[in-house]
Amino acid sequence: MRILLLDKNHPLITEQLLTKNFILEEDFTSSYDEVCSKIQNYEGVIIRSRIPLDKNFLEKAKNLKFIARVGAGMENIDIPVAEKLGIRLINSPEGNRDSVAEHVIGMLLILMNRLFIASQEVKNGIWLREENRGDELLGKTVGLIGYGNMGKATAKRFSGFGCKVIFYDILPGLSDEFATQVTLEELKKSADILSLHIPLTETTHYLIDAAFISEMRKDFYFVNTARGKNVETKSLVEALQEGKIKGACLDVLEYEKPSFENLETENEDLKYLLESEKVVVTPHIAGWTHQSKEKLAQVIVDKIVLSFSE
């Protein structure tokens, strides 16, 4: 089986697949059109986010048996077309769920305890104690939207901080020892902290908008380590300015390039997020630890070998 690798990943992917007699070719620089012109020569593709696998691409991939996405999100793949063509879709959310969960907690601790702000002040000779009084996680109700790999790992961490964890998911019967499944209405009524753990789809695009925010009964902290376009930034900024959202932790932004490598838009809403003391922003790295890089790759290899090794 010939496999085309379109993004750089952990070398164990190449090392292990070669021992299973797969034929591998790396191409980290060709354009979309250049890849389209040769994709018919491969039975498998391993990607991150560099090139969109849209309808045009997939229809040219006459011999493609699988697409393996090193990561969780699959929005750069035209899933209905791939399924119609019988192409198996593989991803590896198991590989970075712990990284994401720790990042959520870390961002909230920084925000709620003003850790970065206080540290910078002291380094600049400013010693303020009352102004930097923190807010504890203990006793808070955390509402998660989405209870897959990321949501479950995050719930486990929050439970260790003495939080009550509730979640909403479109699939039923997912409650466990760390969190209780509730309706979306109940989550909006009870949550002190709202954290997203959902894919980007037509139904989750701009899920968090002005209407959603207004339906939250309490003023709340907001965390997004999912996808930037799950949130309408304009509404987020307005809620921060009004105090409805007490603070936001954002690892993803609406204005990211499709490859997640940088921002493609600058405007006043983005400027506010980058300048506000109520916002902690990181560059789409929640799932980006040394350990997760290896685990993501290993999960992908294991799934490919299980499905296609002779």
Side-chain angles (χ1 to χ4, degrees):
M1 181 177 286
R2 295 171 60 86
I3 301 174
L4 180 63
L5 289 77
L6 289 174
D7 296 273
K8 292 182 180 180
N9 287 293
H10 196 283
L12 74 79
I13 292 180
T14 301
E15 294 165 3
Q16 294 187 21
L17 289 179
L18 285 174
T19 68
K20 298 296 182 178
N21 298 318
F22 291 94
I23 301 169
L24 306 182
E25 179 181 328
E26 297 177 345
D27 185 346
F28 306 146
T29 59
S30 289
S31 68
Y32 169 86
D33 289 334
E34 289 170 335
V35 176
C36 282
S37 70
K38 66 177 182 178
I39 192 58
Q40 74 275 4
N41 298 322
Y42 301 92
E43 287 77 45
V45 174
I46 300 176
I47 62 166
R48 285 208 319 262
S49 305
R50 186 172 71 86
I51 288 180
L53 276 57
D54 56 14
K55 184 175 185 290
N56 174 65
F57 181 100
L58 296 173
E59 289 179 343
K60 292 180 183 300
K62 302 295 185 182
N63 297 302
L64 204 60
K65 292 182 172 62
F66 77 86
I67 298 166
R69 161 78 159 92
V70 183
M74 306 285 275
E75 68 272 11
N76 63 324
I77 303 168
D78 192 324
I79 294 175
V81 171
E83 291 176 342
K84 181 179 179 181
L85 294 172
I87 300 170
R88 182 182 177 91
L89 300 178
I90 300 169
N91 65 344
S92 54
E94 305 92 337
N96 62 353
R97 59 190 174 192
D98 296 312
S99 172
V100 170
E102 291 187 14
H103 199 88
V104 170
I105 298 296
M107 293 182 84
L108 272 172
L109 291 175
I110 288 170
L111 176 72
M112 295 171 66
N113 293 283
R114 296 175 59 85
L115 298 181
F116 180 76
I117 295 168
S119 176
Q120 290 299 110
E121 287 177 349
V122 173
K123 289 180 178 182
N124 287 299
I126 302 169
W127 189 273
L128 298 175
R129 298 184 67 220
E130 185 59 36
E131 292 84 351
N132 286 308
R133 191 180 288 274
D135 192 7
E136 296 180 6
L137 282 172
L138 179 65
K140 295 220 172 15
T141 296
V142 178
L144 309 177
I145 299 183
Y147 206 62
N149 282 280
M150 312 303 176
K152 291 175 183 177
T154 302
K156 182 177 181 179
R157 269 68 174 186
F158 273 119
S159 66
F161 279 85
C163 297
K164 176 183 178 181
V165 186
I166 59 177
F167 69 90
Y168 170 76
D169 195 283
I170 58 174
L171 299 177
L174 299 179
S175 294
D176 58 23
E177 61 186 303
F178 303 115
T180 302
Q181 190 162 10
V182 298
T183 64
L184 191 56
E185 290 70 27
E186 177 62 28
L187 185 144
K188 292 176 181 177
K189 175 182 176 182
S190 303
D192 300 295
I193 297 167
L194 176 65
S195 185
L196 300 187
H197 302 277
I198 52 178
L200 180 62
T201 66
E202 289 184 3
T203 56
T204 64
H205 185 270
Y206 282 177
L207 175 66
I208 307 303
D209 58 10
F212 188 105
I213 293 168
S214 70
E215 291 166 359
M216 295 287 289
R217 181 167 298 184
K218 300 179 182 178
D219 295 345
F220 64 99
Y221 294 100
F222 177 67
V223 186
N224 189 11
T225 54
R227 288 292 184 263
K229 289 185 173 62
N230 292 139
V231 181
E232 186 180 49
T233 306
K234 176 176 171 46
S235 298
L236 171 65
V237 168
E238 290 174 354
L240 285 163
Q241 292 170 331
E242 295 166 0
K244 179 64 179 179
I245 294 181
K246 298 162 74 172
C249 300
L250 307 174
D251 182 55
V252 292
L253 294 165
E254 179 181 354
Y255 311 116
E256 288 179 73
K257 292 183 177 180
S259 63
F260 309 136
E261 293 302 319
N262 211 322
L263 298 175
E264 62 179 358
T265 303
E266 294 184 11
N267 57 36
E268 289 303 309
D269 290 331
L270 176 60
K271 182 179 179 182
Y272 175 86
L273 294 177
L274 298 181
E275 295 179 354
S276 174
E277 289 190 350
K278 297 167 119 183
V279 182
V280 174
V281 185
T282 52
H284 204 132
I285 56 169
W288 210 252
T289 61
H290 297 292
Q291 293 81 4
S292 71
K293 182 177 183 180
E294 180 172 352
K295 288 189 283 186
L296 284 166
Q298 190 63 64
V299 170
I300 283 294
V301 168
D302 291 345
K303 289 182 178 181
I304 292 172
V305 170
L306 181 63
S307 299
F308 297 101
S309 182
E310 296 180 354

